[in-house]
Amino acid sequence: MKNKIYLIIALFLLTSCHSQDSKIVDLAKISNDFDVSEFYMNKIKKTNEIISKDPKSMDKKEALNLLDNAFFVKDTLGYYKTDGRFPTDLSLESTNDWMVRNKKPTEIFGYGYKTVAYDPEKDQLAILNTVAFPKMDMVEDRKGNLMYLEVEKTSKNDADFNKIKDYISKNCKKLAVDDNDPNASYWEGKAFYYYLFKDDHKEEEISFDSQGNKTSRSVDVTEIKLSMFERSYIKKMEELGIYSAGYRFWKKSL
Protein backbone atom coordinates (compact mmCIF):
# COMPACT_ATOMS: atom_id res chain seq x y z
CA MET A 1 0.00 0.00 0.00
CA LYS A 2 2.83 2.37 0.93
CA ASN A 3 4.56 1.63 -2.39
CA LYS A 4 1.39 2.61 -4.26
CA ILE A 5 1.18 5.88 -2.32
CA TYR A 6 4.83 6.68 -3.08
CA LEU A 7 4.23 5.91 -6.77
CA ILE A 8 1.20 8.21 -6.90
CA ILE A 9 3.18 11.01 -5.22
CA ALA A 10 6.09 10.52 -7.64
CA LEU A 11 3.76 10.65 -10.65
CA PHE A 12 2.10 13.77 -9.28
CA LEU A 13 5.47 15.50 -8.86
CA LEU A 14 6.55 14.56 -12.36
CA THR A 15 3.27 15.80 -13.81
CA SER A 16 3.54 19.04 -11.84
CA CYS A 17 7.09 19.65 -13.08
CA HIS A 18 6.08 19.00 -16.67
CA SER A 19 3.06 21.28 -16.31
CA GLN A 20 5.22 24.03 -14.85
CA ASP A 21 7.73 23.76 -17.70
CA SER A 22 4.98 23.90 -20.33
CA LYS A 23 3.88 27.30 -19.05
CA ILE A 24 7.14 28.88 -20.21
CA VAL A 25 7.56 29.38 -23.96
CA ASP A 26 11.03 28.82 -25.41
CA LEU A 27 11.27 31.53 -28.06
CA ALA A 28 14.25 29.78 -29.68
CA LYS A 29 12.01 26.81 -30.57
CA ILE A 30 8.66 28.46 -31.29
CA SER A 31 7.00 28.20 -34.71
CA ASN A 32 3.84 29.56 -36.30
CA ASP A 33 1.88 26.42 -35.39
CA PHE A 34 2.22 27.26 -31.69
CA ASP A 35 -1.24 26.95 -30.08
CA VAL A 36 -1.74 30.53 -28.92
CA SER A 37 -5.34 30.17 -27.75
CA GLU A 38 -4.51 27.03 -25.76
CA PHE A 39 -1.62 28.78 -24.02
CA TYR A 40 -3.79 31.68 -22.87
CA MET A 41 -7.09 29.85 -22.33
CA ASN A 42 -6.77 29.08 -18.62
CA LYS A 43 -4.97 32.35 -17.95
CA ILE A 44 -7.85 34.38 -19.37
CA LYS A 45 -10.41 32.15 -17.66
CA LYS A 46 -8.73 32.76 -14.30
CA THR A 47 -8.56 36.48 -14.96
CA ASN A 48 -12.28 36.60 -15.75
CA GLU A 49 -13.07 34.63 -12.59
CA ILE A 50 -11.07 37.07 -10.47
CA ILE A 51 -12.54 40.27 -11.91
CA SER A 52 -16.06 38.84 -11.58
CA LYS A 53 -15.67 38.55 -7.80
CA ASP A 54 -17.26 41.18 -5.58
CA PRO A 55 -14.46 42.80 -3.53
CA LYS A 56 -17.00 43.73 -0.85
CA SER A 57 -17.58 40.04 -0.15
CA MET A 58 -13.89 39.41 0.65
CA ASP A 59 -11.64 40.50 3.48
CA LYS A 60 -8.67 42.73 2.73
CA LYS A 61 -6.11 39.91 2.79
CA GLU A 62 -8.10 37.76 0.36
CA ALA A 63 -8.57 40.69 -2.02
CA LEU A 64 -4.86 41.52 -1.94
CA ASN A 65 -3.97 37.88 -2.64
CA LEU A 66 -6.09 37.97 -5.78
CA LEU A 67 -4.10 40.95 -7.01
CA ASP A 68 -0.94 38.83 -6.87
CA ASN A 69 -2.15 36.99 -9.98
CA ALA A 70 -1.18 38.00 -13.49
CA PHE A 71 -4.08 39.31 -15.61
CA PHE A 72 -4.70 38.56 -19.29
CA VAL A 73 -7.23 39.69 -21.91
CA LYS A 74 -8.27 38.53 -25.37
CA ASP A 75 -9.09 40.95 -28.17
CA THR A 76 -10.18 40.84 -31.80
CA LEU A 77 -8.11 42.47 -34.54
CA GLY A 78 -9.45 43.70 -37.85
CA TYR A 79 -8.65 45.83 -40.90
CA TYR A 80 -9.94 49.40 -40.74
CA LYS A 81 -9.99 52.24 -43.23
CA THR A 82 -7.42 54.80 -42.14
CA ASP A 83 -9.16 57.82 -43.72
CA GLY A 84 -5.77 59.52 -44.10
CA ARG A 85 -4.68 58.90 -40.50
CA PHE A 86 -1.90 56.53 -41.66
CA PRO A 87 0.04 56.42 -44.97
CA THR A 88 -1.99 53.40 -46.18
CA ASP A 89 -5.65 52.82 -47.02
CA LEU A 90 -6.08 50.16 -44.32
CA SER A 91 -4.61 49.51 -40.90
CA LEU A 92 -4.63 46.49 -38.59
CA GLU A 93 -6.03 47.48 -35.21
CA SER A 94 -7.72 46.19 -32.10
CA THR A 95 -11.51 46.42 -32.22
CA ASN A 96 -11.30 47.91 -28.71
CA ASP A 97 -9.02 50.76 -29.75
CA TRP A 98 -10.78 54.03 -29.01
CA MET A 99 -10.04 55.38 -32.50
CA VAL A 100 -11.98 52.59 -34.23
CA ARG A 101 -14.33 51.39 -31.49
CA ASN A 102 -17.38 52.75 -33.28
CA LYS A 103 -16.26 51.65 -36.74
CA LYS A 104 -16.85 48.35 -38.53
CA PRO A 105 -13.74 46.50 -39.75
CA THR A 106 -13.56 45.59 -43.42
CA GLU A 107 -12.33 42.13 -42.38
CA ILE A 108 -11.47 40.28 -39.16
CA PHE A 109 -7.78 39.36 -39.10
CA GLY A 110 -7.45 37.34 -35.91
CA TYR A 111 -7.11 37.57 -32.15
CA GLY A 112 -4.70 39.16 -29.72
CA TYR A 113 -3.77 38.04 -26.21
CA LYS A 114 -2.25 40.56 -23.81
CA THR A 115 -0.61 40.48 -20.40
CA VAL A 116 -2.13 43.52 -18.67
CA ALA A 117 -0.81 42.98 -15.12
CA TYR A 118 2.08 40.90 -13.81
CA ASP A 119 4.79 40.57 -11.17
CA PRO A 120 8.13 41.43 -12.84
CA GLU A 121 10.05 39.42 -10.25
CA LYS A 122 7.86 36.32 -10.00
CA ASP A 123 6.08 35.75 -13.31
CA GLN A 124 7.72 33.97 -16.25
CA LEU A 125 5.96 33.44 -19.57
CA ALA A 126 8.79 33.13 -22.09
CA ILE A 127 12.52 32.51 -22.21
CA LEU A 128 15.28 33.12 -24.74
CA ASN A 129 18.91 32.17 -24.19
CA THR A 130 18.25 31.74 -20.41
CA VAL A 131 16.64 35.22 -20.14
CA ALA A 132 13.08 34.98 -18.75
CA PHE A 133 10.31 37.44 -19.63
CA PRO A 134 7.33 38.12 -17.29
CA LYS A 135 5.20 39.76 -20.00
CA MET A 136 4.23 38.34 -23.38
CA ASP A 137 1.59 39.38 -25.92
CA MET A 138 0.66 37.23 -28.92
CA VAL A 139 -1.47 37.54 -32.05
CA GLU A 140 -2.93 34.67 -34.08
CA ASP A 141 -4.82 34.74 -37.36
CA ARG A 142 -8.32 33.29 -37.76
CA LYS A 143 -6.84 29.87 -38.51
CA GLY A 144 -5.01 29.88 -35.18
CA ASN A 145 -1.51 30.41 -36.60
CA LEU A 146 0.91 32.55 -34.60
CA MET A 147 1.53 35.79 -36.47
CA TYR A 148 3.62 37.81 -34.04
CA LEU A 149 4.52 38.19 -30.40
CA GLU A 150 6.15 40.70 -28.10
CA VAL A 151 7.96 40.12 -24.80
CA GLU A 152 9.20 42.69 -22.31
CA LYS A 153 11.19 42.83 -19.11
CA THR A 154 13.00 45.30 -16.85
CA SER A 155 16.50 44.08 -16.06
CA LYS A 156 18.96 45.33 -13.44
CA ASN A 157 22.01 44.03 -15.27
CA ASP A 158 23.58 44.28 -18.73
CA ALA A 159 23.90 40.50 -19.07
CA ASP A 160 20.23 39.94 -19.95
CA PHE A 161 20.23 42.24 -22.96
CA ASN A 162 23.62 40.98 -24.11
CA LYS A 163 22.36 37.38 -24.04
CA ILE A 164 19.37 38.29 -26.20
CA LYS A 165 21.55 40.30 -28.58
CA ASP A 166 24.09 37.47 -28.81
CA TYR A 167 21.41 34.93 -29.70
CA ILE A 168 19.89 37.11 -32.40
CA SER A 169 23.30 38.09 -33.81
CA LYS A 170 24.28 34.44 -34.18
CA ASN A 171 21.00 33.27 -35.68
CA CYS A 172 19.81 36.23 -37.75
CA LYS A 173 20.93 38.75 -40.36
CA LYS A 174 20.78 42.43 -39.44
CA LEU A 175 18.51 44.59 -41.58
CA ALA A 176 18.60 48.27 -42.46
CA VAL A 177 15.13 49.78 -42.16
CA ASP A 178 13.69 53.27 -42.07
CA ASP A 179 14.22 53.92 -38.36
CA ASN A 180 16.89 56.18 -36.87
CA ASP A 181 16.31 55.10 -33.25
CA PRO A 182 19.78 54.14 -31.92
CA ASN A 183 18.18 51.89 -29.30
CA ALA A 184 16.38 49.72 -31.86
CA SER A 185 17.70 47.05 -34.22
CA TYR A 186 16.02 44.89 -36.86
CA TRP A 187 16.86 41.34 -37.85
CA GLU A 188 15.83 38.59 -40.27
CA GLY A 189 15.76 34.93 -39.19
CA LYS A 190 14.66 31.70 -40.87
CA ALA A 191 11.07 31.84 -39.59
CA PHE A 192 10.72 35.30 -38.01
CA TYR A 193 11.73 38.92 -38.31
CA TYR A 194 12.98 40.38 -35.03
CA TYR A 195 12.74 43.85 -33.52
CA LEU A 196 14.97 44.41 -30.48
CA PHE A 197 14.82 47.52 -28.30
CA LYS A 198 16.57 48.61 -25.13
CA ASP A 199 16.27 51.69 -22.93
CA ASP A 200 18.80 52.35 -20.18
CA HIS A 201 17.67 54.59 -17.33
CA LYS A 202 17.54 54.88 -13.55
CA GLU A 203 14.72 53.86 -11.22
CA GLU A 204 14.12 54.40 -7.54
CA GLU A 205 14.34 51.17 -5.55
CA ILE A 206 12.41 51.26 -2.25
CA SER A 207 12.94 48.86 0.66
CA PHE A 208 12.06 48.63 4.34
CA ASP A 209 14.22 47.50 7.26
CA SER A 210 13.08 45.27 10.15
CA GLN A 211 11.69 48.32 11.99
CA GLY A 212 9.66 49.38 8.97
CA ASN A 213 11.86 52.33 8.10
CA LYS A 214 11.80 53.20 4.41
CA THR A 215 15.01 53.50 2.42
CA SER A 216 15.48 54.21 -1.25
CA ARG A 217 18.29 54.25 -3.77
CA SER A 218 18.72 54.91 -7.46
CA VAL A 219 19.52 51.84 -9.57
CA ASP A 220 20.42 51.38 -13.23
CA VAL A 221 17.86 49.37 -15.21
CA THR A 222 17.41 48.29 -18.81
CA GLU A 223 13.99 48.02 -20.41
CA ILE A 224 14.11 45.20 -22.97
CA LYS A 225 11.50 44.69 -25.66
CA LEU A 226 11.64 41.95 -28.28
CA SER A 227 9.09 41.49 -31.06
CA MET A 228 8.99 38.48 -33.39
CA PHE A 229 6.99 38.61 -36.64
CA GLU A 230 6.26 35.45 -38.62
CA ARG A 231 7.59 35.82 -42.17
CA SER A 232 4.26 35.09 -43.88
CA TYR A 233 2.59 37.81 -41.81
CA ILE A 234 5.12 40.45 -42.93
CA LYS A 235 4.74 39.31 -46.55
CA LYS A 236 0.96 39.54 -46.36
CA MET A 237 1.01 43.01 -44.80
CA GLU A 238 3.43 44.15 -47.52
CA GLU A 239 1.34 42.73 -50.36
CA LEU A 240 -1.87 44.26 -49.01
CA GLY A 241 -0.21 47.50 -47.90
CA ILE A 242 -1.63 47.27 -44.37
CA TYR A 243 -0.27 49.70 -41.77
CA SER A 244 0.35 47.27 -38.94
CA ALA A 245 2.70 45.99 -36.28
CA GLY A 246 6.07 45.31 -37.93
CA TYR A 247 5.37 47.61 -40.88
CA ARG A 248 8.97 48.91 -40.84
CA PHE A 249 10.13 45.56 -42.18
CA TRP A 250 8.27 46.10 -45.45
CA LYS A 251 8.51 49.86 -45.64
CA LYS A 252 11.80 49.37 -47.50
CA SER A 253 12.77 46.54 -49.80
CA LEU A 254 14.34 43.70 -47.84
Side-chain angles (χ1 to χ4, degrees), residues 2 16-17 31 54 62 65 78 84 121 130-131 134-135 143 146 150 155 158 166 179 188 191 194 226 233-234 238:
K2 286 184 178 179
S16 298
C17 290
S31 59
D54 182 3
E62 184 181 3
N65 287 337
E121 303 295 334
T130 73
V131 179
K135 182 182 188 301
K143 295 180 180 179
L146 170 64
E150 182 175 274
S155 176
D158 294 329
D166 287 345
D179 186 5
E188 179 184 4
Y194 296 78
L226 173 67
Y233 161 79
I234 293 295
E238 181 180 22

Side-chain angles (χ1 to χ4, degrees), residues 133-151:
F133 293 89
K135 182 182 188 301
M136 179 169 65
D137 302 337
M138 285 184 164
V139 167
E140 63 178 356
D141 63 12
R142 284 185 296 175
K143 295 180 180 179
N145 298 311
L146 170 64
M147 292 288 96
Y148 60 88
L149 65 87
E150 182 175 274
V151 291

Side-chain angles (χ1 to χ4, degrees), residues 229-246:
F229 302 92
E230 210 274 334
R231 293 178 66 90
S232 67
Y233 161 79
I234 293 295
K235 184 178 180 181
K236 181 177 183 178
M237 294 299 104
E238 181 180 22
E239 291 175 347
L240 298 178
I242 306 294
Y243 190 90
S244 55

Side-chain angles (χ1 to χ4, degrees), residues 70-207:
F71 287 73
F72 303 87
V73 296
K74 180 181 179 180
D75 193 16
T76 302
L77 282 73
Y79 298 142
Y80 288 88
K81 292 183 178 180
T82 61
D83 299 323
R85 188 160 59 98
F86 295 121
T88 58
D89 292 333
L90 296 174
S91 62
L92 177 61
E93 302 185 59
S94 161
T95 55
N96 285 327
D97 186 276
W98 69 276
M99 290 293 293
V100 298
R101 193 173 298 163
N102 297 321
K103 295 182 179 180
K104 184 178 180 180
T106 61
E107 182 182 341
I108 296 299
F109 171 79
Y111 307 95
Y113 302 81
K114 286 190 174 183
T115 312
V116 294
Y118 61 95
D119 186 327
E121 303 295 334
K122 181 186 69 174
D123 294 327
Q124 294 184 3
L125 289 178
I127 190 169
L128 181 62
N129 201 18
T130 73
V131 179
F133 293 89
K135 182 182 188 301
M136 179 169 65
D137 302 337
M138 285 184 164
V139 167
E140 63 178 356
D141 63 12
R142 284 185 296 175
K143 295 180 180 179
N145 298 311
L146 170 64
M147 292 288 96
Y148 60 88
L149 65 87
E150 182 175 274
V151 291
E152 297 180 34
K153 81 167 300 175
T154 301
S155 176
K156 295 179 182 178
N157 61 73
D158 294 329
D160 284 343
F161 179 78
N162 291 335
K163 287 178 181 178
I164 300 300
K165 183 73 175 289
D166 287 345
Y167 172 85
I168 294 179
S169 299
K170 291 176 182 177
N171 294 278
C172 305
K173 176 181 70 175
K174 194 170 186 179
L175 297 175
V177 302
D178 188 13
D179 186 5
N180 58 6
D181 187 346
N183 294 321
S185 59
Y186 297 81
W187 306 79
E188 179 184 4
K190 290 182 179 180
F192 293 90
Y193 290 107
Y194 296 78
Y195 162 77
L196 180 61
F197 174 84
K198 67 174 292 192
D199 176 36
D200 297 318
H201 61 275
K202 292 184 179 292
E203 285 188 357
E204 185 182 18
E205 186 177 74
I206 299 174
S207 60

